[in-house]
Amino acid sequence: MKINIAFSSFLMPITIASCYVMVYYLIPKYLLLKKYSSFLLYGLYTFILTAFAVVLSVFYALIFILDLKIVELPIARSFPFILIAVYLIIFLASGITLLRHYYGSKTNNDKLLTKVLETQLKLKEQELKYLKMQIHPHFLFNTLNTLYGFALSKAEETPDLILKLSNLLDYLLYQVDKPMVDLSSEMNHIQDYIDLEKTRFSDSLDIRMKLEDFPAELQVAPMLFIPFVENSFKHGGSTEGKLQIDINVKAELGKVNFSISNTLRESLPFEKGEGIGLENIKKRLSMLYADRHELRIEKTPNRFNVELIIDTNG
């Protein structure tokens, strides 16, 4: 027993040295850097030198410990077993090193991915804020033009218009910055805007807005639909002396279907490029409802049709 311990103690420096070369030199310098040919070449050299050192240790045991009496050292009769045992320890040490590296790299990659996602989220939030900021001047510009026209003519409806505009501004200031609003609130906002335009167009407007029943808790991003309504008034044309606009909104199973159609003027600017409002809304849709929306815009000789379907489940 003492002889076996002495023999094993002699093999230990060889095993430690081989493990050290494999773990601290070959694996990090070649294998992890994907220099596979160099790793295989130097790994082969290491295994050959290890085998040579094991052979020397066996001879040392026979000559200096046992005086060439092989019978007294059973383990010395199985040189392949000794070599396999040494190689097994090397493989185990290498395997543990690779596992530690894998989990360490995975943890670092997860942290890096989290930082990247957080950065992307912050950029997305900043872009959304910028797009929302664009809504304010664009909407106010159109609405104040209407109010300006009534003020010039000193119309009696001007105070009522100012009150409605105040309600719209209240919505812009306190609701549009929220990530989500009730669909009912959004529709009320659109109705206030339509009431403003009704006053401006008087008898030259024929507008029909149909709202089907939808869940009270259903929410959407604010100011998604108003750009389409604004453009219907701004770019629509009269047929038989009236601008005709049809708006339909329905919701089923978490999907909101918004459609609007208006009579068309001959020279419509959409052919030259979409206005600020539509360009804005497309960007917001791609960010808020990337794979959960459908936007169809169709121009016919007499009408301009828009249909937007949003899936709020997600």
Side-chain angles (χ1 to χ4, degrees), residues 145-155 158:
N145 272 344
T146 301
L147 188 60
Y148 176 72
F150 276 89
L152 285 179
S153 62
K154 298 180 180 180
T158 303

PDB file of all heavy atoms in Angstrom, residues 145-155 158:
ATOM      1  N   ASN A 145     -56.041  76.971 -37.620  1.00  0.00           N
ATOM      2  CA  ASN A 145     -56.445  77.534 -38.903  1.00  0.00           C
ATOM      3  C   ASN A 145     -57.958  77.654 -38.986  1.00  0.00           C
ATOM      4  O   ASN A 145     -58.504  78.644 -39.484  1.00  0.00           O
ATOM      5  CB  ASN A 145     -55.929  76.672 -40.053  1.00  0.00           C
ATOM      6  CG  ASN A 145     -54.529  77.076 -40.480  1.00  0.00           C
ATOM      7  OD1 ASN A 145     -54.065  78.156 -40.145  1.00  0.00           O
ATOM      8  ND2 ASN A 145     -53.867  76.196 -41.206  1.00  0.00           N
ATOM      9  N   THR A 146     -58.627  76.595 -38.493  1.00  0.00           N
ATOM     10  CA  THR A 146     -60.084  76.630 -38.475  1.00  0.00           C
ATOM     11  C   THR A 146     -60.581  77.753 -37.574  1.00  0.00           C
ATOM     12  O   THR A 146     -61.471  78.540 -37.952  1.00  0.00           O
ATOM     13  CB  THR A 146     -60.629  75.282 -37.961  1.00  0.00           C
ATOM     14  OG1 THR A 146     -60.180  74.231 -38.813  1.00  0.00           O
ATOM     15  CG2 THR A 146     -62.151  75.277 -37.932  1.00  0.00           C
ATOM     16  N   LEU A 147     -60.009  77.852 -36.375  1.00  0.00           N
ATOM     17  CA  LEU A 147     -60.418  78.876 -35.423  1.00  0.00           C
ATOM     18  C   LEU A 147     -60.128  80.278 -35.967  1.00  0.00           C
ATOM     19  O   LEU A 147     -60.917  81.217 -35.772  1.00  0.00           O
ATOM     20  CB  LEU A 147     -59.687  78.653 -34.100  1.00  0.00           C
ATOM     21  CG  LEU A 147     -60.121  79.523 -32.911  1.00  0.00           C
ATOM     22  CD1 LEU A 147     -61.579  79.312 -32.581  1.00  0.00           C
ATOM     23  CD2 LEU A 147     -59.254  79.212 -31.700  1.00  0.00           C
ATOM     24  N   TYR A 148     -59.013  80.420 -36.657  1.00  0.00           N
ATOM     25  CA  TYR A 148     -58.636  81.711 -37.228  1.00  0.00           C
ATOM     26  C   TYR A 148     -59.671  82.188 -38.247  1.00  0.00           C
ATOM     27  O   TYR A 148     -60.035  83.375 -38.279  1.00  0.00           O
ATOM     28  CB  TYR A 148     -57.261  81.597 -37.879  1.00  0.00           C
ATOM     29  CG  TYR A 148     -56.799  82.848 -38.586  1.00  0.00           C
ATOM     30  CD1 TYR A 148     -56.405  83.964 -37.870  1.00  0.00           C
ATOM     31  CD2 TYR A 148     -56.751  82.894 -39.976  1.00  0.00           C
ATOM     32  CE1 TYR A 148     -55.974  85.118 -38.518  1.00  0.00           C
ATOM     33  CE2 TYR A 148     -56.323  84.034 -40.638  1.00  0.00           C
ATOM     34  CZ  TYR A 148     -55.937  85.143 -39.896  1.00  0.00           C
ATOM     35  OH  TYR A 148     -55.515  86.278 -40.552  1.00  0.00           O
ATOM     36  N   GLY A 149     -60.156  81.249 -39.050  1.00  0.00           N
ATOM     37  CA  GLY A 149     -61.162  81.606 -40.054  1.00  0.00           C
ATOM     38  C   GLY A 149     -62.429  82.127 -39.417  1.00  0.00           C
ATOM     39  O   GLY A 149     -63.030  83.109 -39.886  1.00  0.00           O
ATOM     40  N   PHE A 150     -62.875  81.496 -38.337  1.00  0.00           N
ATOM     41  CA  PHE A 150     -64.089  81.947 -37.658  1.00  0.00           C
ATOM     42  C   PHE A 150     -63.860  83.282 -36.953  1.00  0.00           C
ATOM     43  O   PHE A 150     -64.764  84.123 -36.886  1.00  0.00           O
ATOM     44  CB  PHE A 150     -64.545  80.893 -36.648  1.00  0.00           C
ATOM     45  CG  PHE A 150     -65.368  79.805 -37.273  1.00  0.00           C
ATOM     46  CD1 PHE A 150     -64.762  78.673 -37.790  1.00  0.00           C
ATOM     47  CD2 PHE A 150     -66.748  79.916 -37.348  1.00  0.00           C
ATOM     48  CE1 PHE A 150     -65.514  77.676 -38.374  1.00  0.00           C
ATOM     49  CE2 PHE A 150     -67.501  78.914 -37.928  1.00  0.00           C
ATOM     50  CZ  PHE A 150     -66.893  77.791 -38.445  1.00  0.00           C
ATOM     51  N   ALA A 151     -62.664  83.457 -36.414  1.00  0.00           N
ATOM     52  CA  ALA A 151     -62.370  84.723 -35.737  1.00  0.00           C
ATOM     53  C   ALA A 151     -62.391  85.884 -36.716  1.00  0.00           C
ATOM     54  O   ALA A 151     -62.869  86.987 -36.403  1.00  0.00           O
ATOM     55  CB  ALA A 151     -61.017  84.635 -35.036  1.00  0.00           C
ATOM     56  N   LEU A 152     -61.888  85.674 -37.923  1.00  0.00           N
ATOM     57  CA  LEU A 152     -61.896  86.727 -38.939  1.00  0.00           C
ATOM     58  C   LEU A 152     -63.320  87.141 -39.307  1.00  0.00           C
ATOM     59  O   LEU A 152     -63.610  88.314 -39.510  1.00  0.00           O
ATOM     60  CB  LEU A 152     -61.150  86.263 -40.194  1.00  0.00           C
ATOM     61  CG  LEU A 152     -59.617  86.231 -40.112  1.00  0.00           C
ATOM     62  CD1 LEU A 152     -59.037  85.714 -41.428  1.00  0.00           C
ATOM     63  CD2 LEU A 152     -59.059  87.618 -39.804  1.00  0.00           C
ATOM     64  N   SER A 153     -64.179  86.135 -39.410  1.00  0.00           N
ATOM     65  CA  SER A 153     -65.570  86.427 -39.774  1.00  0.00           C
ATOM     66  C   SER A 153     -66.427  86.820 -38.576  1.00  0.00           C
ATOM     67  O   SER A 153     -67.619  87.104 -38.729  1.00  0.00           O
ATOM     68  CB  SER A 153     -66.192  85.212 -40.464  1.00  0.00           C
ATOM     69  OG  SER A 153     -66.211  84.096 -39.572  1.00  0.00           O
ATOM     70  N   LYS A 154     -65.833  86.826 -37.396  1.00  0.00           N
ATOM     71  CA  LYS A 154     -66.530  87.165 -36.151  1.00  0.00           C
ATOM     72  C   LYS A 154     -67.812  86.349 -35.985  1.00  0.00           C
ATOM     73  O   LYS A 154     -68.873  86.867 -35.618  1.00  0.00           O
ATOM     74  CB  LYS A 154     -66.846  88.653 -36.113  1.00  0.00           C
ATOM     75  CG  LYS A 154     -65.607  89.532 -36.145  1.00  0.00           C
ATOM     76  CD  LYS A 154     -65.947  91.012 -36.097  1.00  0.00           C
ATOM     77  CE  LYS A 154     -64.669  91.851 -36.142  1.00  0.00           C
ATOM     78  NZ  LYS A 154     -64.961  93.310 -36.109  1.00  0.00           N
ATOM     79  N   ALA A 155     -67.680  85.058 -36.258  1.00  0.00           N
ATOM     80  CA  ALA A 155     -68.837  84.165 -36.173  1.00  0.00           C
ATOM     81  C   ALA A 155     -69.244  83.942 -34.731  1.00  0.00           C
ATOM     82  O   ALA A 155     -68.411  83.952 -33.814  1.00  0.00           O
ATOM     83  CB  ALA A 155     -68.500  82.831 -36.843  1.00  0.00           C
ATOM     84  N   THR A 158     -67.629  81.086 -32.593  1.00  0.00           N
ATOM     85  CA  THR A 158     -66.227  81.130 -32.162  1.00  0.00           C
ATOM     86  C   THR A 158     -66.038  80.732 -30.698  1.00  0.00           C
ATOM     87  O   THR A 158     -65.134  79.929 -30.388  1.00  0.00           O
ATOM     88  CB  THR A 158     -65.643  82.526 -32.405  1.00  0.00           C
ATOM     89  OG1 THR A 158     -65.781  82.860 -33.793  1.00  0.00           O
ATOM     90  CG2 THR A 158     -64.169  82.573 -32.015  1.00  0.00           C
TER      91      THR A 158
END
